[in-house]
Amino acid sequence: MQHRDRETDRCCRMPGMLLGDIFPNFEADSTFGRMKLHDYLGDSWGVLFSHPRDFTPVCTTELGRAAQLSPEFSKRNVKLMALSVDSLEQHHSWSKDIMAYNNTEPGSEFPFPIIADDRRELVETLGMLDPEEKDQSGMPLSARCVFVIGPDKKLKLSILYPATTGRNFDEILRVIDSLQLTAHNRVATPVDWRPGNSVMVPPSIPETEAATLFPAGVYTKDLPSGKKYLRYTPQPNTHQQ
């Protein structure tokens, strides 16, 4: 049996948070000042994402892309928040590099807060540490975690990437479009779904009810099994009651 040291076990152990749980209302310093999570979010959705270290290549490309897409997140009433185990001073300095990477006008303000967690309190509490990636002193760095938090302050989605794999923020936007649509409509989104594409009618909805819920019509694909579970309908434009 492969030996695992105590530090590795502590880093790999995910917190007890499950989808639907209230996200911890932590308080921390950020490049936007002192912030308390639930107050900062208000009635908005939130995306909290961690990165291993400031002044590193993959992280710079990630936050650069997130900054470029910030207007798209804002259109969806989503507030972005980044986090790493670096200090506030480092965050402020590094954000200038990110803006330069994006070829942004000098002096432009970075569009979302970067949370300082140089004591590693938050990354430990939220299970964000990567035992495979360590700093020069041997301390584990934060992994590339993504948490999507709803206006009800509940965890809606979590994704965990290793330090060696940069995230796709267009995909995170796509996921949020799905989460927001399905939060108000009794539908599901299929593989590679994009806004405007047809959606799926969940198997839990009987055919008679589906006809009432989806006046635009329901298309059922014929299958060799004879089971009628692949049901499609145009994307609803209004919230269902």
Side-chain angles (χ1 to χ4, degrees), residues 177 181 189 193-199 233-237:
D177 285 332
L181 175 69
T189 57
W193 174 86
R194 295 282 178 183
N197 293 354
S198 292
V199 296
T233 189
Q235 176 182 322
N237 293 320

Side-chain angles (χ1 to χ4, degrees), residues 49 55 66 144 187:
F49 63 100
F55 302 105
R144 302 188 194 281
V187 297

Side-chain angles (χ1 to χ4, degrees), residues 21 26 35-36 43 70 80 88 107 118 157 163 175 178 194 202 208 220-221 225:
D21 284 353
F26 64 79
M35 59 181 287
K36 196 169 185 177
D43 61 358
S70 181
L80 294 171
L88 202 56
D118 42 340
L157 175 140
V175 166
S178 173
R194 295 282 178 183
T208 53
T220 303
K221 182 171 179 60
S225 67

Side-chain angles (χ1 to χ4, degrees), residues 155-223:
L155 179 65
K156 303 299 183 182
L157 175 140
S158 64
I159 315 175
L160 179 63
Y161 295 74
T164 51
T165 302
R167 288 160 286 202
N168 185 326
F169 281 85
D170 293 280
E171 167 63 8
I172 295 172
L173 267 179
R174 189 192 73 87
V175 166
I176 287 171
D177 285 332
S178 173
L179 289 171
Q180 293 184 340
L181 175 69
T182 57
H184 298 287
N185 298 276
R186 293 172 64 189
V187 297
T189 57
V191 62
D192 296 334
W193 174 86
R194 295 282 178 183
N197 293 354
S198 292
V199 296
M200 306 195 84
V201 179
S204 59
I205 300 178
E207 287 189 34
T208 53
E209 186 180 1
T212 302
L213 279 175
F214 309 108
V218 177
Y219 162 73
T220 303
K221 182 171 179 60
D222 293 330
L223 299 169

